[in-house]
Amino acid sequence: MNAVPVDFSAASLLAGSPSPLGATWTGDGVNFAVHASGAARVELCLFDDSGEHELVRITLPERTENVWHGFLPAPHGVPGVVYGYRAHGPYDPSYGLRYNPNKLLLDPYARAVVGKFQWNPSLFGHLPEQPTEQINTADSAPYMYKARVVQSEFAWSEDCPPAVPWRDTVIYELHVKGFTKLHPGVPERERGKFLGLAQPAVVNYLKQLGVTAVELLPVQAFVPEEFLAKRGLVNYWGYSSLAWFAPHPDYGVEDPVAEFRTMVKALHAAGIEVILDVVFNHTVEGNEKGPTLSLRGLDNAAYYKLDSTNLSRYVDRSGTGNTLSIGHGAARNLVIDCMKYWVEEMHVDGFRFDLAAVLGRDNAPFRTDAAFFKAVANEPSLRYVKLIAEPWDVGPEGYQLGRFPAGWSEWNDLYRDTVRGFWRGNPGILGNFAERFAGSSDLFRASGRRPTASINYIACHDGFTAYDATAYEQKHNEANLEDNRDGHNHNLSWNGGIEGSTDDPAVIEVRERQIRNLLATLLLSQGVPMLLAGDEFGRTQRGNNNAYCQDNEISWVDWSLAERRSWLTAFVRQLLTLRRYAAGLRRDTFLKGARQVDREHKDISWRHPLGHELNAGDWHDANARAIGVLIGHAFTDPYGTPNGHLLFLCNAGDQPCDFRLPAPTTGVVWQIVFDTSRWRANDLGDRLGAGQNCVVAPHSCVLLADGDAPSTIRSGFSLKT
């Protein structure tokens, strides 16, 4: 980074350009441009390198439509300059105007942030504990982040996006800090940082596990909400964004921007894509009683949805106090520009959008053809990135699963709830289980979308981990200091008879079966599977199902479990190997239950334990706890001809179940690939012919392959190492 002159007394601004927005190094100076449509004047404030001392304020000399701009020539205008804005204008919340030049404002397009953020009464545009109409004249600069001018150069060399097709994608959701904070293979200085994820020990683990993409919890610069800070807690997950272009400074060692790029480059070299969980539905500025940090002080009425009956108040469809006004061009352009930056300059491969229904609302109810979706589709650099929606918000008709545009995939919480419900023994859900296992065609087929539109998961950052879903029936969120009121109560979990940790071998055994059942179902289902980091070795959050504020061992991945439960990691690794072999498990089109010409079995059929295909009465049998899934044409031979079948037998009941086997391919027999009730599935050499019975133990599932399946699959899984 270039040395930045400390003496700005001789600095002056030329007219500059209204585009691009943000602070842009041109080679001979820095162009500053900021949207502030209602401002009467905007000042550029320059700071020392630490951001602690404000050195000079210079009014931006030009305004083009709604953009204020100016050009700072070298030697004053160079990469590394630290800056912020002050916007002068009317302070009248009743008209949606909240200009207050006493508040230092972070550039919405800031590429990097400097200094420390500290909650203080001066951060608020109004006087704390007073009506919001009373302006607060205290200077907020000492407590605010500042922006740093960033140079775009980086030695990407031959970095190439892996471009993994959706059908082959396996997503691994992780937290940058929590994943490496306790990792023994990461140097102490890099634990919990972007560079920690770039370490060979971490990258090799992910590659050997078999995942193809990491989905990172928010890495855009964020700050904890004030109520958490007062309790001595933080927003660990990061869903309290302040600067969408800037990597979170706490995840950097020295230069978060360069280190983020280093991480992406290392993961790409291993064939692993990087997907960002982005928060474009709200900011940490909160409701009308919140602080003035950036968007509120620059153009409150453009960037936020305001109550049309009372412009001093905010529409809240995020549950956090405010909602981005995506229907306004300034807000929409900010999001699109941000996405382009992360793709073009930071080389990310996709985005998962938090509370994405907000983005489809414009100024009306949710629409598949909303302006934001059209804008994304029209951007060449965004045309081929992965787009994943969390398909709901807290507004009216907020649940929109299955309604996002073509090209988008969606988190399918119905998959999670149905699979958990089935394995805990809920009655009357065989049909729902079959629909979710087969790719959720009821949600996506009618609009011409594919099974890959469904992101299947049994656990994510929000809620119980997979292990906790087998060990706790009640949430245990006391550490969040909300008297265990936070977090949802619909966990669809079963503890095996004892709540929490136990030494009872019978309970431990049933829990181990259940977690294998959940993971096996997930990785054999149609659609795109997503694993929560650590679920492959039974990570626990001690029953906390809302650990958003726990930056400690509750949330950090305990890598000692990887040693103690290596058998479970091996099971997941082998399931992912099977998924790569079996094209029939990762289809681009929905299963039809149709028999292919000259083929013995349908592409999929649902089997009763007595051997016949399920009929209408079977589907509606509320007492049924067992189902078989015959997957035809699961593999292909070297010439591309479909062959080989898989038979997945599931028994969620508390008694053994005898399944009569359908006829395998002529002249061959069924062989057990794995049985979740046994440590080692292939040590008994089980070979079963047509008409024979396969006994499936309680709370267990068995996978069989016929003789046309590859021998490496038929040889079975080792469930204990």
Side-chain angles (χ1 to χ4, degrees), residues 90 92-99 296 299-302 306 311-312 314:
D92 190 345
S94 65
Y95 283 90
L97 301 170
R98 294 178 179 269
Y99 291 101
R296 172 173 286 149
D299 206 330
N300 182 61
L306 304 181
L311 295 179
S312 69
Y314 293 79

Side-chain angles (χ1 to χ4, degrees), residues 194-429:
F194 294 127
L195 290 179
L197 282 181
Q199 278 290 317
V202 175
V203 175
N204 291 339
Y205 174 82
L206 295 170
K207 185 175 180 64
Q208 291 168 11
L209 184 62
V211 301
T212 70
V214 292
E215 182 174 302
L216 307 180
L217 266 71
V219 300
Q220 297 162 310
F222 59 88
V223 296
E225 294 88 343
E226 186 184 28
F227 79 92
L228 287 176
K230 288 180 177 179
R231 296 174 185 170
L233 299 172
V234 299
N235 192 317
Y236 169 73
W237 286 349
Y239 293 95
S240 55
S241 299
L242 177 58
W244 286 330
F245 285 74
H248 188 54
D250 290 347
Y251 296 162
V253 178
E254 295 179 352
D255 184 346
V257 176
E259 292 163 17
F260 180 92
R261 289 165 166 165
T262 298
M263 174 198 71
V264 171
K265 186 176 177 180
L267 290 165
H268 279 182
I272 298 171
E273 296 181 307
V274 177
I275 298 171
L276 300 188
D277 191 336
V278 289
V279 189
F280 292 136
N281 56 80
H282 74 280
T283 76
V284 74
E285 288 186 303
N287 63 17
E288 58 273 8
K289 296 181 179 180
T292 297
L293 309 176
S294 181
L295 301 182
R296 172 173 286 149
L298 288 169
D299 206 330
N300 182 61
Y303 285 121
Y304 292 119
K305 287 183 180 291
L306 304 181
D307 185 340
S308 60
T309 64
N310 183 352
L311 295 179
S312 69
R313 307 196 66 179
Y314 293 79
V315 174
D316 183 8
R317 288 174 177 158
S318 64
T320 64
N322 66 50
T323 307
L324 189 73
S325 184
I326 197 67
H328 193 288
R332 187 166 59 252
N333 290 340
L334 172 63
V335 173
I336 295 296
D337 289 345
C338 183
M339 292 172 63
K340 290 170 61 178
Y341 173 75
W342 284 100
V343 171
E344 295 171 1
E345 301 289 341
M346 307 295 268
H347 286 208
V348 305
D349 305 282
F351 304 93
R352 179 267 187 188
F353 297 84
D354 179 63
L355 299 182
V358 164
L359 303 176
R361 288 187 179 273
D362 289 345
N363 296 310
F366 179 91
R367 294 178 59 93
T368 303
D369 61 350
F372 173 74
F373 299 141
K374 291 180 179 178
V376 171
N378 288 332
E379 281 295 338
S381 63
L382 303 180
R383 206 160 283 168
Y384 299 106
V385 300
K386 288 182 165 66
L387 303 171
I388 303 171
E390 183 185 39
W392 52 81
D393 63 18
V394 299
E397 299 181 349
Y399 192 69
Q400 298 293 336
L401 178 61
R403 292 199 58 207
F404 278 73
W408 285 65
S409 294
E410 304 176 36
W411 270 27
N412 190 345
D413 65 320
L414 289 184
Y415 180 94
R416 175 199 61 198
D417 292 352
T418 301
V419 171
R420 282 195 189 183
F422 173 82
W423 282 114
R424 79 192 291 263
N426 283 10
I429 62 170

Side-chain angles (χ1 to χ4, degrees), residues 669-706:
V669 296
W670 292 104
Q671 291 182 259
I672 292 180
V673 177
F674 66 76
D675 179 340
T676 59
S677 71
R678 290 186 258 182
W679 285 111
R680 183 181 289 274
N682 63 333
D683 56 3
L684 301 180
D686 290 352
R687 298 165 63 88
L688 304 169
Q692 288 186 266
N693 281 9
C694 177
V695 179
V696 181
H699 313 298
S700 300
C701 59
V702 174
L703 182 71
L704 303 100
D706 69 6

Side-chain angles (χ1 to χ4, degrees), residues 135-146:
I135 193 168
N136 182 359
T137 59
D139 183 12
S140 66
Y143 309 97
M144 259 299 292
Y145 275 139
K146 288 80 181 178

